[in-house]
Amino acid sequence: MIPAAFDYVRAGSVEEALAALAEHGDDAKLMAGGHSLIPLMRYRLVTPGVVVDVGNLNGDLRGISVADGTVRVGALTRHSELEHSAELADACPMLAHVASMVGDPAVRHRGTLGGSLAHADPASDLPAAVLALGATLVARGPGGEREIAAADFFTGFLESVLADDEMLTEIRLPVSGGGWNYQKFNRRAQDWAIVGVAVAENAKGVSLVNMGSTPMRATAVEQAVAAGASAVDAAALAADNASPPSDLNGDAEYRGHLARVLTERALKAAGIA
Amino acid sequence: MPANAVRIRLSVNGRSHDLEVEPRTLLVHALRDEIGLTGTNIGCDSSSCGACTILVDGQSAKSCTMLAVQAEGCDITTIEGLADTTDGDGLHPMQQAFHECHGLQCGYCTPGMILASVSLLEEYPDLDEPGVRVGLEGNLCRCTGYHNIVKAVLSAAGKEA
Ligand SMILES: Cc1cc2nc3c(=O)[nH]c(=O)nc-3n(C[C@H](O)[C@H](O)[C@H](O)COP(=O)(O)OP(=O)(O)OC[C@H]3O[C@@H](n4cnc5c(N)ncnc54)[C@H](O)[C@@H]3O)c2cc1C
Ligand code: FES
Ligand code: FES
């Protein structure tokens, strides 16, 4: 299908993008890679009056740098750039690995980290990664810049704390040395996870994909691991605070089972519990 | 022309095209209906089949999941222009490999499959057979069972299957 008609603004800077968002309010939508937005617009589930394209912004907004124990990733960095970054392979290998699991190569050439986080899909891979890694998200709006802990970012199905006139500009992550693992369970090529589990030792994070209305942390598992529980005992708690969906891929009970099995595998593979 | 049509210049296969399109025009429709390059096929409504795969600045992309306006300033290669990206005057080595390994039956998926494969080898030069299979997961073929497609890509990579 073809999207409903809209006006197109190609932003030449963050300032221009923010000005366009301020001018058009909730009638405007930012577009980065377009790989979540265009499908939604084609199904006419989203019908913005104005699309503000930030996909061509470069500079600090696109790329990876590491200094003083912090990895900074520009919000417009594409999945394939995360996947192939030698700096990231060194400083935060889980993020590079999870990026390599998204969709297929053509999707990874266009989709961006900022877009994947702002889209806030509980079935997406990268939100779970940044949750487990204890990332900080940097947003800019008319009032300036603010930092948001990943744990506070996701508020509901496809919803985040970002205001209509704000834009994500950067994702900051601690340089990670410890064990990590990402389990993505799906049955069709190129598909989203039916359930996924991300585990990162040095942020003490365990997070779940597609186990509720938001990307979420498995806090009961995190606490059990911190208290010295075995992988088997900690993983038994994986679905405790979750309210997974039931759909054609599996019902809630099956997803709970998957979460426990995958969490155990992830904890063991990461060598954490 | 609708009121909000915009003028864009697209660079496709080394030629520049001045178009007037609505912002909502998908790149695949601009290529097929405005420029007349119908080698890029449309196989689905859900960004999942890869029949519409083209190269944008040398990297595979699904042209049904891009707006024509997004592609301004990019170098686009479609199947019609692929052979011209090589020095020889025949087919591109990937096209030649599909031909020799019989990597197609009806041919509907083939333009997308070939362009995805060109990009794949560029991105992952050391691919083995499982790597080719996973790397082409975004391109569906309803005829071949993939076997000869994988053979063709490996043969183009200089690795006999
Ligand atoms: C065939 C296919 C398969 C896929 N498979 C997977 C998969 O297996 N796993 C997975 O995780 N994802 C998958 N995706 C989604 C893909 O990862 C998207 O690229 C990603 O979710 C969105 O990134 P984008 O840059 O394309 O964002 P866009 O589509 O441009 O934007 C998405 C949303 O985020 C907002 N936004 C974008 N950038 C910013 C910003 N900087 N600041 C504030 N708001 C912003 C937009 O307004 C919009 O609401 C798939 C997509 C396709 C088409
Ligand atoms: S037509 Fe583009 S992916 Fe199917
Ligand atoms: S050859 Fe017919 S779909 Fe691939």
Side-chain angles (χ1 to χ4, degrees), chain A residues 6 36 108 127 249-250 254:
Chain A
F6 57 85
S36 292
R108 298 197 290 273
N249 284 316
Y254 175 62

Side-chain angles (χ1 to χ4, degrees), chain A residues 42, chain B residues 41-53 62-65:
Chain A
R42 293 185 64 190
Chain B
N41 288 333
I42 301 174
C44 75
D45 240 346
S46 54
S47 307
S48 42
C49 75
C52 64
T53 305
K62 296 181 184 190
S63 61
C64 73
T65 315

Side-chain angles (χ1 to χ4, degrees), chain A:
Chain A
M1 281 189 14
I2 297 168
F6 57 85
D7 288 325
Y8 175 78
V9 177
R10 187 183 270 217
S13 65
V14 176
E15 290 71 26
E16 271 179 44
L18 293 177
L21 292 180
E23 184 185 343
H24 299 287
D26 66 4
D27 198 29
K29 265 277 177 202
L30 279 180
M31 185 171 73
H35 268 52
S36 292
L37 187 58
I38 293 173
L40 286 178
M41 288 171 63
R42 293 185 64 190
Y43 289 127
R44 305 217 176 178
L45 296 170
V46 181
T47 53
V50 181
V51 168
V52 181
D53 186 358
V54 291
N56 293 289
L57 300 184
N58 284 309
D60 291 348
L61 290 166
R62 187 166 167 196
I64 296 152
S65 65
V66 184
D68 304 326
T70 301
V71 184
R72 292 162 188 265
V73 184
L76 292 166
T77 309
R78 315 245 169 125
H79 305 329
S80 60
E81 292 163 350
L82 300 176
E83 176 183 357
H84 294 296
S85 160
E87 275 161 311
L88 208 57
D90 210 33
C92 192
M94 182 160 90
L95 190 64
H97 173 73
V98 173
S100 79
M101 307 283 285
V102 174
D104 57 57
V107 169
R108 298 197 290 273
H109 291 151
R110 306 289 312 166
T112 68
L113 178 58
S116 181
L117 301 182
H119 189 54
D121 185 342
S124 284
D125 303 295
L126 290 160
V130 301
L131 276 175
L133 288 163
T136 301
L137 281 51
V138 182
R140 272 177 66 184
E145 195 171 278
R146 64 171 175 141
E147 294 182 4
I148 307 156
D152 300 329
F153 185 74
F154 305 103
T155 52
F157 183 70
L158 307 187
E159 283 181 15
S160 73
V161 297
L162 277 185
D164 287 334
D165 55 3
E166 277 184 313
M167 173 175 167
L168 279 181
T169 52
E170 189 174 275
I171 292 82
R172 296 185 188 146
L173 307 120
V175 169
S176 50
W180 58 272
N181 191 256
Y182 183 59
Q183 298 281 328
K184 177 173 182 173
F185 187 88
N186 61 12
R187 308 193 59 170
R188 279 193 323 193
Q190 127 195 300
D191 214 352
W192 276 260
I194 298 173
V195 172
V197 178
V199 165
E201 182 174 13
N202 75 332
K204 301 183 173 54
V206 179
S207 59
L208 303 172
V209 179
N210 224 350
M211 283 297 288
S213 57
T214 65
M216 60 191 285
R217 289 173 65 172
T219 40
V221 180
E222 291 176 354
Q223 284 159 8
V225 170
S230 68
V232 177
D233 290 344
L237 309 171
D240 276 16
N241 307 317
S243 44
S246 290
D247 57 30
L248 286 176
N249 284 316
D251 60 18
E253 195 186 332
Y254 175 62
R255 281 199 162 84
H257 174 73
L258 279 178
R260 288 186 288 273
V261 171
L262 298 174
T263 300
E264 185 182 325
R265 285 184 194 165
L267 288 171
K268 285 181 171 162
I272 291 173

Side-chain angles (χ1 to χ4, degrees), chain B residues 13-92:
Chain B
N13 301 330
R15 283 186 55 189
S16 159
H17 299 266
D18 289 306
L19 308 177
E20 220 171 289
V21 295
E22 280 190 87
R24 63 174 169 167
T25 306
L26 300 173
L27 179 56
V28 67
H29 290 135
L31 293 171
R32 292 177 56 88
D33 304 341
E34 307 292 329
I35 301 178
L37 293 171
T38 53
T40 306
N41 288 333
I42 301 174
C44 75
D45 240 346
S46 54
S47 307
S48 42
C49 75
C52 64
T53 305
I54 56 166
L55 301 181
V56 176
D57 295 330
Q59 295 186 317
S60 59
K62 296 181 184 190
S63 61
C64 73
T65 315
M66 280 183 73
L67 304 171
V69 287
Q70 271 181 295
E72 200 169 24
C74 303
D75 281 323
I76 294 167
T77 306
T78 68
I79 195 67
E80 290 91 341
L82 181 65
D84 296 338
T85 63
T86 50
D87 296 336
D89 37 45
L91 296 173
H92 182 281

Side-chain angles (χ1 to χ4, degrees), chain B residues 105-126:
Chain B
Q105 287 177 24
C106 81
Y108 199 83
C109 69
T110 313
M113 208 51 102
I114 287 179
L115 290 163
S117 302
V118 168
S119 173
L120 188 69
L121 287 193
E122 184 82 18
E123 187 172 355
Y124 306 92
D126 299 325

